[in-house]
Amino acid sequence: MTKPAGNTNIAVFDSTLRDGAQAEGISFSVEDKIKITRALDELGVAYIEAGNPGSNPKDLEFFQRVKGINLKHAALTAFGSTRRPGVTPAEDDNIKNLVLAETPAVAIFGKSWDFHVTDIINTTLEENLAMIQDTMAYFKSLGKEVVYDAEHFFDGYKNNPEYAMATLQAAKTGGADWIVLCETNGGAFPQEVFDATALVVKEVGGKIGIHCHNDGGMAVANTIMAVEAGARQVQGTYVGFGERCGNVNLCTVIGNLQLKKRMQCLPDGKLQELTPTARYIAEVANISLNEREPFIGNSAFAHKGGMHIDGVHKNVRSFEHVDPEKIGNKRRFLMSEVAGRSTILNKIRKVNPNIRKDSEETRLVMQRLKELEHEGYQFEGAESSFELVIRKTLGKYKPFFTLDHFKIIDEQMPDGTHSSTAILKINVDGKEEVTAAEGNGPVNALDKALRKALEAFYPELKEVYLADYKVRVLDTRSATASRVRVLIESSDGRYVWSTVGVSGDIIEASWLALVDSMEYKLLKIIEEKASAYM
Amino acid sequence: MTKPAGNTNIAVFDSTLRDGAQAEGISFSVEDKIKITRALDELGVAYIEAGNPGSNPKDLEFFQRVKGINLKHAALTAFGSTRRPGVTPAEDDNIKNLVLAETPAVAIFGKSWDFHVTDIINTTLEENLAMIQDTMAYFKSLGKEVVYDAEHFFDGYKNNPEYAMATLQAAKTGGADWIVLCETNGGAFPQEVFDATALVVKEVGGKIGIHCHNDGGMAVANTIMAVEAGARQVQGTYVGFGERCGNVNLCTVIGNLQLKKRMQCLPDGKLQELTPTARYIAEVANISLNEREPFIGNSAFAHKGGMHIDGVHKNVRSFEHVDPEKIGNKRRFLMSEVAGRSTILNKIRKVNPNIRKDSEETRLVMQRLKELEHEGYQFEGAESSFELVIRKTLGKYKPFFTLDHFKIIDEQMPDGTHSSTAILKINVDGKEEVTAAEGNGPVNALDKALRKALEAFYPELKEVYLADYKVRVLDTRSATASRVRVLIESSDGRYVWSTVGVSGDIIEASWLALVDSMEYKLLKIIEEKASAYM
């Protein structure tokens, strides 16, 4: 028998690898699933629902491979349905596969909405009750912890309350350890969820859980309301992947319950892993996180409006509901025309600590920022380019190289082959360097040629690589003659920095961002060396 | 005085252009703001909060330009704060700018949280009450409809209920038409919002509104709970842009209230514009919509799990909380071959009406579609390219020209000037044509050269122009070597058609989309001529 992890009083049941795998655009390899299992166990969730061995051979392979892994916190859980009508559990093929998964816990879903019984699986209401009870009893006889998922419980309760309650009683009689109320279609309202859950806690009793979907945009509120009504297991997925609009996002639920309701969901000291774990799982799933995601999003504590930034500088409580560090996220102040002086001042002070809010330099930088934003620049995602703008405006900048010229030739040959070549000539302290490179596209060719040229003078640049490249068309009205903004993210393995370039020509825009990236890195190398002697 | 649009009983207050502009990554041009204003008015929202003329000169320019536009439904609203301490409203510069905006309505925010009064704006609690009352009275004396935004009302109410209520009374005494309770930091819970709102409705009375942020992931539920407690104005942003985690997403609120609570938010017949409007605004804002967004997301009604698809085929109620057509969205079956076929069959029949669902041709097109999607193609926004794919697969396609080769030279000269030149050679019925063109960037040069060459043979192409050009980087991991998808929208003044190209090279991808665009137009010319003789 498995207990909730550590001394938590809410059992977190993660279904990223099962319900999450039913999200559009998500397809986990067995390798991915093992990585995510380790990450979730490290975080300290109580249950990891890792797949449906009955319906999916890939999942069965996963369960075979995962047996070797020793989990610290989580009970590995296999998912499946109650027995088919008219057979015993032992005869049912899906159930046989569930047994083969050899997990300490199983999650079995059954029908609680009479309409689904009669119109979707086409059996009698009586047989459905027997299917639930028999299947629970069978898995208990095998010594497993059994979680009963009451599919569509809330729709069923609206349609036929007596029958919906009867399905829960059947699960209880069968010996289910947990009875989980599923808001499968995601359309319920918080008060409905609270009232129905409170009634189940009172009339059925035992350990109750909640499983919500987000079709109405209220999955988090519905889950919290169920917990307030007495539910003690919360099912969801990490970052909210799932069918249609997704399952409830466990990051948000955990953040709310543990920081505000003082109900422990993760073992001591694990809460600050919430954000890094979300980013890791998104990486493995190869999807980009929604920047505005509560608690863990990149923008969740990003302040842009001038009055907001001013307020947060005076007291963080003024515009933050929780301390970002508690969940491993961080506060950011965004550069923009709505940002106001104080933010910009902090950036200026990194270059020259003596400058004040009312200094002439501050005014000049503000003015330059407005001009550049008018041209289509945006420094929110390009802090490093903005530091260079400040240095240029304050005369604290000396270029590391100058471009003489570059030339790009992009050809489609008669035989259909395509090639991109870049030739360039730069000048470093009077020394010239001419290089050429072929690339997968013109920007890639230019990037390679510039590195080649600079590495002759600055070998440290060898470790720099481009981590991300984004293109935005700014004014689509003029179509292919429109201006583009190119954002580049570079890394040297230790740090990541972002730069931006804007032009009517995508190649020139890319060039500007590439140059900023190299210059910024060289600047940091010098600063590091300098500070080493201080 | 402005009434809520049509016969709605909930006044929708859209702040996409003001609070939404405070979202990371959003930077609206004046042109963008005018487009979005027209779209929101067309949809039928009651109020469009379009900017903060006091803090942002760009917004003031917008208000000057928008005066010429005649809005059908919405009251244009300018946003600003109560007067500064120790001055009269008439002396306050921000308020002067608000007056210059000449809008029928203004939204004025004031402090309802005592901590903000004493620690952030550093004035006395008494002066703050006077600031609220005076500012309301001043704008009423100018004959405007006045919305009072009680900033941080819910935090203020927790901290000092008497004072929070006193700020609302001050606004009422000053003559505010609406008193809007703001959940500014986004951390409140639904029950708290319900209780406090119900109390305000009872004790303050008048027209009450609600303004929620999503930091706790409960903005939608909090908004709905406030409406259940008696609020009749809902403030939010379209698709939920806003500071940090964003404002409440009006699409979700409207969907829930109008479809489930039977409270009208939009004029009759406008609800099905919810999804197209969201996609249009996202386009203008140049951000990609979250696919899992409730109601309007591309995945909101996408069914993937086998049991789900099976259920929906039997009865859509089984796994859908509302009918997607009611909000202009559509149902999709992600894994189901069968379901996929019927949609694609309709497109195939436009080319060959005799083809059936089980024809070999259908299988071939499905297979080709899968291959192309695997390469990164996406035909949702490029129906014309998809028609060409079908024609090519069915052998109903004959190219209007063949490319021999093209060459693009993009140069940055020693004097800093930049140029892009394209040279190409095409072949039409054995006749060769060589052209060259200079452009604003390589793609623009290529576009011009191709037109020049084709117009020699097909003068009708003279009327074709590119209406839109979009670039999406598909796999940002490999940075400048990543694959890009180029979407082109062309027009001949009467019709608009969209084509797509994918390649590792942005120029090749653009070329593929350009070729499809020309071929499609020439195809339609022939079809028109043909039909003229039938």
Side-chain angles (χ1 to χ4, degrees):
Chain A
M1 288 290 282
T2 318
K3 298 236 170 314
N7 55 345
T8 59
N9 45 30
I10 292 286
V12 175
F13 183 107
D14 184 284
S15 186
T16 306
L17 299 176
R18 200 279 301 168
D19 227 347
Q22 287 179 222
E24 178 167 19
I26 296 229
S27 157
F28 294 123
S29 67
V30 171
E31 210 40 62
D32 295 336
K33 288 190 139 200
I34 287 169
K35 283 183 184 161
I36 291 174
T37 302
R38 289 184 189 279
L40 290 170
D41 182 54
E42 198 47 56
L43 182 69
V45 304
Y47 301 90
I48 299 173
E49 185 177 61
N52 187 340
S55 82
N56 180 346
K58 204 209 265 168
D59 286 353
L60 197 52
E61 183 196 340
F62 163 82
F63 283 111
Q64 300 308 328
R65 283 191 48 193
V66 85
K67 277 172 199 165
I69 300 173
N70 195 344
L71 300 181
K72 277 183 266 170
H73 297 291
L76 202 63
T77 308
F79 174 83
S81 76
T82 53
R83 68 165 174 83
R84 277 177 292 110
V87 300
T88 68
E91 296 164 343
D92 183 293
D93 292 339
N94 289 340
I95 291 180
K96 283 179 192 162
N97 284 321
L98 262 165
V99 175
L100 287 176
E102 290 179 37
T103 53
V106 291
I108 305 297
F109 78 95
K111 299 294 187 182
S112 285
W113 188 359
D114 57 351
F115 148 74
H116 261 261
V117 177
T118 53
D119 292 40
I120 305 298
I121 64 169
N122 305 312
T123 185
T124 67
L125 297 179
E126 298 62 34
E127 173 65 0
N128 179 57
L129 294 177
M131 286 156 61
I132 296 169
Q133 184 173 330
D134 298 352
T135 312
M136 297 299 116
Y138 179 69
F139 281 107
K140 285 314 293 179
S141 75
L142 301 174
K144 293 183 186 291
E145 180 174 20
V146 182
V147 176
Y148 175 66
D149 284 352
E151 194 189 41
H152 291 106
F153 172 76
F154 296 92
D155 291 303
Y157 180 77
K158 263 178 256 177
N159 207 47
N160 183 344
E162 297 70 21
Y163 187 73
M165 295 301 271
T167 62
L168 305 185
Q169 291 294 357
K172 190 182 181 186
T173 312
D177 298 285
W178 285 98
I179 290 175
V180 177
L181 310 178
C182 301
E183 213 288 275
T184 310
N185 289 7
F189 288 86
Q191 197 60 54
E192 294 169 357
V193 172
F194 179 89
D195 296 342
T197 306
L199 189 75
V200 171
V201 168
K202 185 165 144 290
E203 294 196 355
V204 181
K207 294 192 293 179
I208 304 299
I210 181 72
H211 172 115
C212 292
H213 281 262
N214 200 39
D215 300 71
M218 293 181 283
V220 171
N222 290 346
T223 302
I224 303 269
M225 292 291 265
V227 169
E228 305 220 60
R232 286 298 175 263
Q233 176 184 122
V234 291
Q235 293 195 353
T237 63
Y238 221 73
V239 219
F241 308 145
E243 281 279 349
R244 309 183 311 272
C245 304
N247 291 59
V248 71
N249 184 342
L250 285 176
C251 300
T252 322
V253 172
I254 292 168
N256 279 310
L257 289 178
Q258 194 152 339
L259 288 173
K260 297 178 182 174
K261 298 284 180 187
R262 302 277 168 247
M263 301 182 95
Q264 192 164 12
C265 302
L266 298 176
D268 295 336
K270 291 297 189 178
L271 194 60
Q272 51 266 51
E273 297 305 316
L274 208 62
T275 303
T277 305
R279 292 178 185 171
Y280 176 74
I281 288 175
E283 268 307 304
V284 176
N286 195 12
I287 61 119
S288 49
L289 271 181
N290 171 9
E291 302 266 299
R292 296 198 316 260
E293 206 60 71
F295 294 98
I296 55 99
N298 193 39
S299 304
F301 301 91
H303 304 282
K304 184 172 171 184
M307 285 168 291
H308 287 224
I309 289 165
D310 236 34
V312 173
H313 278 306
K314 288 171 176 160
N315 185 328
V316 294
R317 270 175 69 219
S318 63
F319 290 98
E320 287 179 0
H321 67 133
V322 297
D323 173 0
E325 308 223 323
K326 290 199 167 130
I327 57 239
N329 204 344
K330 65 181 208 297
R331 176 178 304 122
R332 293 159 58 228
F333 297 103
L334 305 177
M335 282 302 111
S336 85
E337 58 200 348
V338 294
R341 286 183 180 230
S342 54
T343 333
I344 291 160
L345 190 60
N346 293 332
K347 306 271 175 197
I348 296 177
R349 287 210 170 123
K350 287 191 187 145
V351 177
N352 178 349
N354 309 322
I355 288 175
R356 288 221 233 67
K357 197 169 189 172
D358 51 13
S359 308
E360 173 62 5
E361 289 89 342
T362 312
R363 200 189 56 74
L364 287 170
V365 172
M366 292 279 291
Q367 185 190 324
R368 183 66 186 137
L369 174 61
K370 278 198 165 38
E371 289 163 10
L372 288 166
E373 284 191 338
H374 192 72
E375 286 174 36
Y377 274 86
Q378 205 183 321
F379 294 100
E380 281 170 21
E383 310 269 310
S384 306
S385 281
F386 190 62
E387 181 177 332
L388 291 169
V389 169
I390 293 170
R391 291 179 167 277
K392 287 170 186 170
T393 315
L394 304 187
K396 288 217 166 232
Y397 166 85
K398 169 188 162 305
F400 289 87
F401 67 94
T402 55
L403 173 74
D404 182 73
H405 71 278
F406 69 68
K407 182 174 198 155
I408 284 167
I409 298 152
D410 190 281
E411 281 186 286
Q412 178 97 20
M413 316 294 190
D415 66 4
T417 59
H418 196 96
S419 81
S420 297
T421 315
I423 303 141
L424 62 77
K425 180 172 165 186
I426 61 166
N427 189 307
V428 179
D429 309 325
K431 286 194 226 65
E432 283 183 347
E433 181 75 19
V434 179
T435 55
E438 280 200 330
N440 175 1
V443 178
N444 184 233
L446 189 60
D447 175 31
K448 286 176 162 179
L450 176 60
R451 275 158 207 293
K452 216 196 265 183
L454 287 173
E455 281 168 16
F457 303 93
Y458 307 106
E460 307 94 323
L461 290 178
K462 280 204 174 64
E463 66 201 19
V464 178
Y465 62 92
L466 294 192
D468 199 350
Y469 173 80
K470 290 208 193 74
V471 182
R472 280 265 163 110
V473 177
L474 297 179
D475 170 9
T476 56
R477 266 155 294 137
S478 45
T480 55
S482 53
R483 295 175 69 73
V484 293
R485 176 168 61 228
V486 168
L487 265 165
I488 280 179
E489 206 176 81
S490 311
S491 174
D492 57 13
R494 289 176 308 157
Y495 303 108
V496 173
W497 61 98
S498 303
T499 54
V500 62
V502 172
S503 163
D505 183 328
I506 189 168
I507 291 172
E508 189 180 20
S510 306
W511 169 258
L512 294 168
L514 281 171
V515 170
D516 272 9
S517 167
M518 303 296 166
E519 295 247 323
Y520 186 78
K521 169 65 177 174
L522 293 168
L523 205 59
K524 293 300 142 188
I525 290 169
I526 287 178
E527 283 180 358
E528 269 186 20
K529 285 180 180 161
S531 61
Y533 293 96
M534 287 173 189
Chain B
M1 289 289 283
T2 318
K3 299 235 168 315
N7 55 346
T8 61
N9 47 26
I10 293 286
V12 176
F13 183 106
D14 183 285
S15 186
T16 305
L17 299 176
R18 200 280 301 170
D19 228 348
Q22 289 180 221
E24 177 166 19
I26 297 239
S27 161
F28 294 123
S29 68
V30 171
E31 205 47 57
D32 294 337
K33 288 190 141 201
I34 287 170
K35 282 184 181 170
I36 291 174
T37 302
R38 289 186 190 278
L40 290 169
D41 182 54
E42 198 46 57
L43 183 69
V45 304
Y47 301 90
I48 299 173
E49 185 176 59
N52 187 339
S55 83
N56 181 346
K58 205 205 263 171
D59 285 355
L60 197 52
E61 183 196 341
F62 163 82
F63 283 111
Q64 300 306 330
R65 283 190 50 192
V66 82
K67 278 172 197 162
I69 300 171
N70 198 343
L71 299 181
K72 275 182 269 171
H73 297 291
L76 202 64
T77 308
F79 174 84
S81 77
T82 53
R83 67 164 174 84
R84 277 178 291 110
V87 300
T88 68
E91 296 164 344
D92 184 294
D93 291 339
N94 289 341
I95 290 178
K96 284 180 190 160
N97 284 321
L98 262 164
V99 174
L100 287 176
E102 290 179 37
T103 54
V106 290
I108 305 297
F109 77 94
K111 299 293 187 182
S112 286
W113 188 0
D114 56 352
F115 147 74
H116 260 262
V117 178
T118 53
D119 293 39
I120 305 297
I121 63 169
N122 305 311
T123 185
T124 66
L125 297 179
E126 298 63 33
E127 173 64 0
N128 180 57
L129 294 176
M131 286 156 59
I132 296 168
Q133 183 173 331
D134 297 353
T135 312
M136 298 298 116
Y138 179 69
F139 281 106
K140 285 313 294 178
S141 73
L142 301 175
K144 294 183 185 289
E145 181 175 21
V146 182
V147 176
Y148 176 64
D149 284 351
E151 194 189 40
H152 290 106
F153 173 75
F154 296 92
D155 291 303
Y157 181 77
K158 264 178 255 176
N159 207 45
N160 183 342
E162 297 70 22
Y163 188 73
M165 295 302 271
T167 61
L168 305 185
Q169 291 293 357
K172 190 180 180 187
T173 312
D177 298 285
W178 284 98
I179 290 175
V180 177
L181 310 178
C182 302
E183 213 288 275
T184 309
N185 289 7
F189 288 85
Q191 197 60 53
E192 294 168 357
V193 172
F194 179 89
D195 296 342
T197 306
L199 189 75
V200 170
V201 168
K202 184 165 145 290
E203 294 194 356
V204 181
K207 295 192 291 178
I208 305 299
I210 181 73
H211 173 115
C212 293
H213 281 261
N214 200 39
D215 301 70
M218 293 181 282
V220 171
N222 289 346
T223 302
I224 303 272
M225 292 291 265
V227 168
E228 305 221 58
R232 287 299 173 264
Q233 176 184 122
V234 291
Q235 294 195 352
T237 64
Y238 220 73
V239 219
F241 308 146
E243 281 278 349
R244 309 182 312 271
C245 303
N247 291 60
V248 71
N249 184 342
L250 285 176
C251 300
T252 322
V253 172
I254 292 168
N256 279 311
L257 289 178
Q258 195 153 340
L259 288 174
K260 296 179 183 174
K261 298 283 179 189
R262 303 276 167 245
M263 301 182 96
Q264 192 165 13
C265 304
L266 299 176
D268 295 336
K270 291 295 189 179
L271 194 61
Q272 51 266 51
E273 297 305 316
L274 209 61
T275 303
T277 305
R279 291 179 185 170
Y280 176 76
I281 289 176
E283 271 310 313
V284 175
N286 198 3
I287 61 118
S288 44
L289 272 181
N290 171 8
E291 302 265 299
R292 285 190 273 119
E293 206 60 70
F295 294 99
I296 55 100
N298 195 38
S299 304
F301 300 91
H303 303 282
K304 184 171 171 185
M307 285 169 290
H308 287 226
I309 289 167
D310 181 56
V312 173
H313 277 306
K314 288 171 175 163
N315 186 328
V316 294
R317 271 176 67 219
S318 63
F319 290 98
E320 287 178 0
H321 68 131
V322 296
D323 173 0
E325 309 224 321
K326 289 197 167 134
I327 57 234
N329 204 346
K330 66 182 205 296
R331 175 176 305 121
R332 295 159 57 226
F333 295 99
L334 300 179
M335 290 300 208
S336 160
E337 281 289 321
V338 196
R341 276 179 197 239
S342 51
T343 358
I344 288 158
L345 190 61
N346 298 331
K347 300 196 191 295
I348 297 178
R349 287 210 170 121
K350 287 188 190 146
V351 177
N352 179 349
N354 309 324
I355 288 176
R356 289 223 230 68
K357 200 178 226 174
D358 52 12
S359 308
E360 173 64 2
E361 288 89 341
T362 311
R363 200 189 56 74
L364 287 170
V365 172
M366 293 279 292
Q367 187 191 321
R368 182 67 186 137
L369 175 61
K370 279 200 166 44
E371 289 162 11
L372 288 166
E373 281 179 345
H374 187 73
E375 288 174 35
Y377 275 85
Q378 196 210 65
F379 294 100
E380 272 196 17
E383 305 277 311
S384 306
S385 281
F386 190 57
E387 181 176 331
L388 292 169
V389 168
I390 293 170
R391 290 180 167 276
K392 287 170 186 170
T393 316
L394 303 188
K396 288 224 167 221
Y397 165 85
K398 166 187 165 308
F400 289 87
F401 68 94
T402 54
L403 173 75
D404 181 73
H405 71 277
F406 69 68
K407 181 174 198 157
I408 284 168
I409 299 152
D410 190 280
E411 280 187 288
Q412 178 99 20
M413 314 294 189
D415 66 3
T417 58
H418 196 98
S419 81
S420 298
T421 315
I423 304 140
L424 64 76
K425 180 171 165 186
I426 60 164
N427 190 306
V428 179
D429 308 326
K431 287 193 225 68
E432 284 183 347
E433 182 74 19
V434 179
T435 55
E438 280 201 331
N440 175 2
V443 178
N444 182 235
L446 189 59
D447 174 34
K448 285 176 162 181
L450 177 60
R451 277 158 206 294
K452 217 196 262 183
L454 287 173
E455 282 168 15
F457 305 94
Y458 307 107
E460 306 95 324
L461 290 178
K462 280 204 174 62
E463 67 201 18
V464 178
Y465 63 93
L466 293 193
D468 198 350
Y469 174 80
K470 288 207 202 74
V471 182
R472 280 244 193 284
V473 177
L474 298 180
D475 169 14
T476 57
R477 293 258 177 90
S478 46
T480 55
S482 51
R483 294 175 70 75
V484 294
R485 176 169 61 226
V486 168
L487 265 164
I488 280 178
E489 205 176 80
S490 311
S491 174
D492 55 13
R494 290 176 307 157
Y495 303 107
V496 174
W497 61 98
S498 304
T499 54
V500 61
V502 172
S503 164
D505 182 328
I506 189 166
I507 292 174
E508 189 179 21
S510 306
W511 169 258
L512 294 169
L514 280 171
V515 170
D516 272 10
S517 167
M518 303 295 165
E519 296 249 324
Y520 185 79
K521 168 66 178 174
L522 293 167
L523 206 58
K524 293 300 144 188
I525 291 170
I526 288 179
E527 283 180 357
E528 270 187 18
K529 286 182 180 160
S531 62
Y533 294 95
M534 287 174 190

